[in-house]
Amino acid sequence: MPSTTSPTALSSTESVALSGVAVVCVATLIRTFDGEGEPLVASLALSGLAFAASYAMIRWLGPTFLKAGLKGRDMSKVNNSHYIPECMGAICAVVYLLTIIIFIPFPFYKDIVVATSGGGNRDVVMNVEFVQQGRLLHKFPHSKLASFLSAIISLQSITLLGIGDDLFDIRWRHKFFIPAFASIPLLVIYFVDFGVTSIVLPTFLQPYIGRELLDLGILYYGYMAAFSIFSPNSINILAGINGIEVSQSIVIALLLVLNDALYLLTPYPHPATDSHLFSLYFLLPFLGVSFALLFHNWYPARVFVGDTYCYFAGMVFVVVSILGHFSKTLILLLVPQIFNFIYSLPQLSHVLPCPRHRLPHFSARSGLLEPSVTKWEKDKQPRPIIAQGLRLLAKFKLLRIKEDEEGRIEETSNFTILNLWLVWRGPMREDRLAVEITTMQILVGLFGLFVRHKLALLIFREDNLSIKSPV
Ligand code: UD1
Ligand code: MG
C-alpha cells in the first residue's frame, strides 16, 4: 500500500531567511506611512510578506492536507509509491487574497485623507456629521475601489472552483462556464469604467472596410468571457511535470510586469499609467506566492499545486488584462498555451481517445521522460480519414506514430506540447524538460511583447505606448 510522507518543518536556514525577509518587509511597510502611502513600495513589501507566509504555510500545512486526503503520487519517479500533498495552490490563493485585501487602503491613502479631512490637509479637523453627509466623500474614487472589489470577487470564485475540483474532480460539463460567471463583475466594471469595445483595424484593411476602428459591441464582452474560460484551463492542461504549472505562470506574470513597467517608465505621464499600476498591484503578490510554491513544487516535487493554482493563476491574468485594458496583449503571452490547446483539440473533443492522464511517460529503466502514448487495438483502429490525418501529422513531425508490418496503427503519442517537445528533442530528464519549456515560454513571450510594441507599427499607425498624455 502506498505510504504517505509529510514534509518536514522549516530548517534553521529557512527560518532565518524567511524571518529576515519578513522583518525587512514590515519595516518597509511601516515607512510608507511617513510619506503618502507609496502604494507600489507597499505592494512590494506585502508581496515579500506573502512569499514568506506562503513558503512557511506550504511546509507546515502539508501534513494537514495529506490527512484530509488531498494527496497525489508523482508518476514520474522511480519510487512513486508514496503520496505528497496536493492542492497547495489553495494556500497561495488564500494568502494572495488576504494580501490584496490588506493592501486596499494603500493606493487610496491620499483619497481617504482628501475625502475625510478637508482637501488633503490633515490639520483641518471636520466634525463627523459633516463627513457623513458626504460633502467631501464624493471626492473618493469609488470606481477605483470597485475595480479592486470586483477583482477579489472573481478570484475568490475561481479559487472556490479550484478547491472544489481538487476535492471532487468535477466533470467538464459542470465546471465549464463557471470562470465566465466569475468574470461578470470584471465585465461590469469594464463596461461602466472603460467600455471600449472597438478594435483598431490594420492599415491595409482600412481602405476596404472604410474605417479605422471596428466596434465589436457585445461580442467584445463575449470574447473577454471566453478568455476567462480559456486562460485558467489552458494553464491546467499544460501540466504534468514538476514545476511547469508554476514556472509558466511566473514567466507570464513577469512579462506582464515588464509590459506594465514600459508604461510607467515613459518620460511623460501616460493615460494608461493608472491601469498598469493596478495590474502591478495584482501581479507582484502573485509572484510572491508563486515563487514560494515553486520552491516546493520544482523537481523533485515535494508538493503538487492542484487545479486550484492553475485556475487561480489563469484568472489573475484575466483580471489584470481586463481591468488593465490589455486583454489582447495577454493573447501574445499565452501563445504556448494556445498552441497546446489547439494541438490538444483532437483529444479534448474526443475525436481521438483522451486518457485521464496525458503527462509524459517515465521510463524507470533510463530515468528519462518519453512521450506518453495512446494504444490502438488491432480490431479498434481509427477511421481511415483520421488514420490518414495521423500519418500526415507524423510526416510533419507533429506526432509519433508506431505501425505494425501490415500498416495498422499500434500507438500514437498524446497531443500535448510536452509530449511533442519530447518527440522533437528525444527523451530527457523531467527538470530539463521543465527548463526547456519555460525557456521557450520566455522567448515566445518576449517576442510577443516585441510584436506588440514594435512590429505592430508595420500594420497599425501607432502603438499606444507612444500616445502622450493630453495634459
Ligand atoms: C491535466 C491534464 C492531464 C495531466 C494532468 C497532470 C488534460 C486534458 N488534462 O488533468 O492530461 O495528466 O493535468 O497534472 O490535458 N502529477 C504528476 N507530476 C506532476 C504533476 C502532476 O505526477 O508534476 C500527477 C499527480 O498524480 C497529481 C495529478 O497528476 O496528483 C494531478 O492531476 P490533475 O491536476 O487532477 O489532472 P487534470 O488537471 O484533471
Ligand atoms: Mg490539474
Side-chain angles (χ1 to χ4, degrees), residues 20-48:
V21 170
V23 168
V24 170
C25 291
V26 169
T28 313
L29 203 57
I30 292 170
R31 273 195 67 120
T32 61
F33 289 110
D34 294 344
E36 291 182 337
E38 286 155 38
L40 201 50
V41 179
S43 176
L44 268 170
L46 282 168
S47 305

mmCIF file of all heavy atoms in Angstrom, residues 20-48:
data_model
loop_
_atom_site.group_PDB
_atom_site.id
_atom_site.type_symbol
_atom_site.label_atom_id
_atom_site.label_comp_id
_atom_site.label_asym_id
_atom_site.label_seq_id
_atom_site.Cartn_x
_atom_site.Cartn_y
_atom_site.Cartn_z
ATOM 1 N N GLY A 20 14.121 37.119 8.127
ATOM 2 C CA GLY A 20 14.802 38.305 7.591
ATOM 3 C C GLY A 20 13.926 39.011 6.565
ATOM 4 O O GLY A 20 13.727 40.232 6.624
ATOM 5 N N VAL A 21 13.384 38.224 5.629
ATOM 6 C CA VAL A 21 12.507 38.806 4.595
ATOM 7 C C VAL A 21 11.331 39.517 5.269
ATOM 8 O O VAL A 21 10.987 40.661 4.929
ATOM 9 C CB VAL A 21 11.985 37.690 3.637
ATOM 10 C CG1 VAL A 21 10.888 38.216 2.723
ATOM 11 C CG2 VAL A 21 13.123 37.122 2.812
ATOM 12 N N ALA A 22 10.734 38.836 6.257
ATOM 13 C CA ALA A 22 9.546 39.393 6.914
ATOM 14 C C ALA A 22 9.875 40.706 7.630
ATOM 15 O O ALA A 22 9.136 41.693 7.505
ATOM 16 C CB ALA A 22 8.964 38.375 7.893
ATOM 17 N N VAL A 23 11.020 40.734 8.338
ATOM 18 C CA VAL A 23 11.391 41.953 9.087
ATOM 19 C C VAL A 23 11.602 43.121 8.123
ATOM 20 O O VAL A 23 11.077 44.223 8.318
ATOM 21 C CB VAL A 23 12.660 41.699 9.946
ATOM 22 C CG1 VAL A 23 13.225 42.996 10.489
ATOM 23 C CG2 VAL A 23 12.339 40.743 11.083
ATOM 24 N N VAL A 24 12.368 42.882 7.045
ATOM 25 C CA VAL A 24 12.638 43.953 6.068
ATOM 26 C C VAL A 24 11.317 44.462 5.475
ATOM 27 O O VAL A 24 11.095 45.671 5.342
ATOM 28 C CB VAL A 24 13.578 43.434 4.941
ATOM 29 C CG1 VAL A 24 13.683 44.435 3.808
ATOM 30 C CG2 VAL A 24 14.952 43.118 5.517
ATOM 31 N N CYS A 25 10.421 43.524 5.149
ATOM 32 C CA CYS A 25 9.154 43.923 4.515
ATOM 33 C C CYS A 25 8.269 44.713 5.482
ATOM 34 O O CYS A 25 7.666 45.719 5.088
ATOM 35 C CB CYS A 25 8.406 42.693 4.000
ATOM 36 S SG CYS A 25 9.248 41.946 2.613
ATOM 37 N N VAL A 26 8.191 44.274 6.724
ATOM 38 C CA VAL A 26 7.360 45.001 7.698
ATOM 39 C C VAL A 26 7.929 46.408 7.903
ATOM 40 O O VAL A 26 7.193 47.399 7.903
ATOM 41 C CB VAL A 26 7.273 44.237 9.043
ATOM 42 C CG1 VAL A 26 6.641 45.105 10.117
ATOM 43 C CG2 VAL A 26 6.476 42.948 8.873
ATOM 44 N N ALA A 27 9.277 46.504 8.029
ATOM 45 C CA ALA A 27 9.904 47.818 8.223
ATOM 46 C C ALA A 27 9.602 48.723 7.027
ATOM 47 O O ALA A 27 9.258 49.897 7.195
ATOM 48 C CB ALA A 27 11.410 47.646 8.404
ATOM 49 N N THR A 28 9.696 48.166 5.810
ATOM 50 C CA THR A 28 9.416 48.961 4.608
ATOM 51 C C THR A 28 7.971 49.431 4.605
ATOM 52 O O THR A 28 7.668 50.583 4.274
ATOM 53 C CB THR A 28 9.677 48.114 3.333
ATOM 54 O OG1 THR A 28 10.935 47.469 3.475
ATOM 55 C CG2 THR A 28 9.647 48.947 2.089
ATOM 56 N N LEU A 29 7.100 48.521 5.001
ATOM 57 C CA LEU A 29 5.667 48.846 5.011
ATOM 58 C C LEU A 29 5.382 49.991 5.987
ATOM 59 O O LEU A 29 4.653 50.929 5.669
ATOM 60 C CB LEU A 29 4.893 47.588 5.430
ATOM 61 C CG LEU A 29 3.443 47.488 5.014
ATOM 62 C CD1 LEU A 29 3.302 47.590 3.517
ATOM 63 C CD2 LEU A 29 2.853 46.160 5.493
ATOM 64 N N ILE A 30 5.996 49.907 7.158
ATOM 65 C CA ILE A 30 5.772 50.956 8.172
ATOM 66 C C ILE A 30 6.282 52.309 7.660
ATOM 67 O O ILE A 30 5.635 53.335 7.818
ATOM 68 C CB ILE A 30 6.453 50.572 9.508
ATOM 69 C CG1 ILE A 30 5.728 49.366 10.109
ATOM 70 C CG2 ILE A 30 6.445 51.736 10.501
ATOM 71 C CD1 ILE A 30 6.421 48.725 11.299
ATOM 72 N N ARG A 31 7.413 52.263 6.964
ATOM 73 C CA ARG A 31 7.993 53.512 6.441
ATOM 74 C C ARG A 31 7.091 54.205 5.433
ATOM 75 O O ARG A 31 7.139 55.426 5.272
ATOM 76 C CB ARG A 31 9.343 53.218 5.795
ATOM 77 C CG ARG A 31 10.495 53.261 6.770
ATOM 78 C CD ARG A 31 11.760 53.316 5.990
ATOM 79 N NE ARG A 31 11.828 54.604 5.269
ATOM 80 C CZ ARG A 31 12.776 55.488 5.450
ATOM 81 N NH1 ARG A 31 13.720 55.240 6.308
ATOM 82 N NH2 ARG A 31 12.791 56.611 4.765
ATOM 83 N N THR A 32 6.279 53.418 4.716
ATOM 84 C CA THR A 32 5.434 54.050 3.688
ATOM 85 C C THR A 32 4.437 55.025 4.324
ATOM 86 O O THR A 32 3.940 55.926 3.667
ATOM 87 C CB THR A 32 4.638 53.012 2.852
ATOM 88 O OG1 THR A 32 3.779 52.297 3.724
ATOM 89 C CG2 THR A 32 5.544 52.065 2.112
ATOM 90 N N PHE A 33 4.137 54.867 5.620
ATOM 91 C CA PHE A 33 3.189 55.772 6.272
ATOM 92 C C PHE A 33 3.782 57.166 6.465
ATOM 93 O O PHE A 33 3.070 58.135 6.660
ATOM 94 C CB PHE A 33 2.743 55.215 7.630
ATOM 95 C CG PHE A 33 1.842 54.024 7.473
ATOM 96 C CD1 PHE A 33 2.280 52.754 7.821
ATOM 97 C CD2 PHE A 33 0.568 54.173 6.955
ATOM 98 C CE1 PHE A 33 1.467 51.656 7.660
ATOM 99 C CE2 PHE A 33 -0.264 53.074 6.794
ATOM 100 C CZ PHE A 33 0.181 51.806 7.147
ATOM 101 N N ASP A 34 5.156 57.246 6.431
ATOM 102 C CA ASP A 34 5.790 58.565 6.570
ATOM 103 C C ASP A 34 5.452 59.455 5.374
ATOM 104 O O ASP A 34 5.344 60.656 5.493
ATOM 105 C CB ASP A 34 7.326 58.422 6.628
ATOM 106 C CG ASP A 34 7.734 57.682 7.885
ATOM 107 O OD1 ASP A 34 6.888 57.575 8.780
ATOM 108 O OD2 ASP A 34 8.889 57.203 7.947
ATOM 109 N N GLY A 35 5.328 58.831 4.216
ATOM 110 C CA GLY A 35 5.059 59.612 3.007
ATOM 111 C C GLY A 35 3.564 59.643 2.735
ATOM 112 O O GLY A 35 2.759 59.853 3.636
ATOM 113 N N GLU A 36 3.231 59.376 1.444
ATOM 114 C CA GLU A 36 1.818 59.451 1.072
ATOM 115 C C GLU A 36 1.259 58.067 0.774
ATOM 116 O O GLU A 36 0.430 57.877 -0.089
ATOM 117 C CB GLU A 36 1.670 60.355 -0.151
ATOM 118 C CG GLU A 36 1.962 61.808 0.168
ATOM 119 C CD GLU A 36 1.765 62.701 -1.043
ATOM 120 O OE1 GLU A 36 1.837 62.198 -2.178
ATOM 121 O OE2 GLU A 36 1.527 63.891 -0.835
ATOM 122 N N GLY A 37 1.756 57.100 1.484
ATOM 123 C CA GLY A 37 1.243 55.748 1.274
ATOM 124 C C GLY A 37 2.116 54.933 0.338
ATOM 125 O O GLY A 37 2.235 53.738 0.489
ATOM 126 N N GLU A 38 2.751 55.604 -0.654
ATOM 127 C CA GLU A 38 3.617 54.943 -1.641
ATOM 128 C C GLU A 38 3.160 53.521 -1.955
ATOM 129 O O GLU A 38 3.825 52.540 -1.587
ATOM 130 C CB GLU A 38 5.068 54.933 -1.135
ATOM 131 C CG GLU A 38 5.702 56.297 -1.233
ATOM 132 C CD GLU A 38 6.834 56.484 -0.238
ATOM 133 O OE1 GLU A 38 7.578 55.526 -0.011
ATOM 134 O OE2 GLU A 38 6.942 57.593 0.310
ATOM 135 N N PRO A 39 2.047 53.402 -2.671
ATOM 136 C CA PRO A 39 1.435 52.088 -2.862
ATOM 137 C C PRO A 39 2.326 51.045 -3.532
ATOM 138 O O PRO A 39 2.252 49.870 -3.176
ATOM 139 C CB PRO A 39 0.195 52.379 -3.722
ATOM 140 C CG PRO A 39 0.289 53.792 -4.127
ATOM 141 C CD PRO A 39 1.251 54.499 -3.239
ATOM 142 N N LEU A 40 3.177 51.494 -4.474
ATOM 143 C CA LEU A 40 3.987 50.496 -5.172
ATOM 144 C C LEU A 40 5.006 49.861 -4.213
ATOM 145 O O LEU A 40 5.227 48.644 -4.234
ATOM 146 C CB LEU A 40 4.706 51.158 -6.363
ATOM 147 C CG LEU A 40 5.180 50.226 -7.456
ATOM 148 C CD1 LEU A 40 4.087 49.284 -7.911
ATOM 149 C CD2 LEU A 40 5.739 51.010 -8.626
ATOM 150 N N VAL A 41 5.583 50.694 -3.333
ATOM 151 C CA VAL A 41 6.542 50.176 -2.348
ATOM 152 C C VAL A 41 5.795 49.258 -1.366
ATOM 153 O O VAL A 41 6.270 48.168 -1.016
ATOM 154 C CB VAL A 41 7.219 51.348 -1.591
ATOM 155 C CG1 VAL A 41 8.188 50.822 -0.549
ATOM 156 C CG2 VAL A 41 7.921 52.270 -2.569
ATOM 157 N N ALA A 42 4.599 49.701 -0.954
ATOM 158 C CA ALA A 42 3.798 48.885 -0.030
ATOM 159 C C ALA A 42 3.456 47.543 -0.676
ATOM 160 O O ALA A 42 3.506 46.488 -0.029
ATOM 161 C CB ALA A 42 2.525 49.628 0.349
ATOM 162 N N SER A 43 3.136 47.589 -1.968
ATOM 163 C CA SER A 43 2.782 46.358 -2.673
ATOM 164 C C SER A 43 3.974 45.401 -2.721
ATOM 165 O O SER A 43 3.818 44.184 -2.509
ATOM 166 C CB SER A 43 2.317 46.709 -4.091
ATOM 167 O OG SER A 43 2.054 45.549 -4.810
ATOM 168 N N LEU A 44 5.165 45.964 -2.963
ATOM 169 C CA LEU A 44 6.376 45.133 -2.982
ATOM 170 C C LEU A 44 6.614 44.498 -1.611
ATOM 171 O O LEU A 44 6.922 43.305 -1.510
ATOM 172 C CB LEU A 44 7.580 45.995 -3.354
ATOM 173 C CG LEU A 44 7.928 46.069 -4.833
ATOM 174 C CD1 LEU A 44 8.972 47.146 -5.075
ATOM 175 C CD2 LEU A 44 8.430 44.719 -5.331
ATOM 176 N N ALA A 45 6.462 45.321 -0.553
ATOM 177 C CA ALA A 45 6.705 44.822 0.807
ATOM 178 C C ALA A 45 5.686 43.731 1.155
ATOM 179 O O ALA A 45 6.048 42.668 1.694
ATOM 180 C CB ALA A 45 6.623 45.964 1.802
ATOM 181 N N LEU A 46 4.422 43.967 0.794
ATOM 182 C CA LEU A 46 3.393 42.954 1.092
ATOM 183 C C LEU A 46 3.627 41.676 0.281
ATOM 184 O O LEU A 46 3.333 40.573 0.742
ATOM 185 C CB LEU A 46 2.000 43.520 0.797
ATOM 186 C CG LEU A 46 1.452 44.464 1.887
ATOM 187 C CD1 LEU A 46 0.217 45.197 1.407
ATOM 188 C CD2 LEU A 46 1.133 43.682 3.166
ATOM 189 N N SER A 47 4.177 41.845 -0.934
ATOM 190 C CA SER A 47 4.457 40.658 -1.760
ATOM 191 C C SER A 47 5.550 39.813 -1.107
ATOM 192 O O SER A 47 5.503 38.576 -1.138
ATOM 193 C CB SER A 47 4.901 41.063 -3.162
ATOM 194 O OG SER A 47 3.924 41.903 -3.724
ATOM 195 N N GLY A 48 6.546 40.497 -0.511
ATOM 196 C CA GLY A 48 7.606 39.785 0.219
ATOM 197 C C GLY A 48 7.019 39.027 1.398
ATOM 198 O O GLY A 48 7.371 37.860 1.654
#
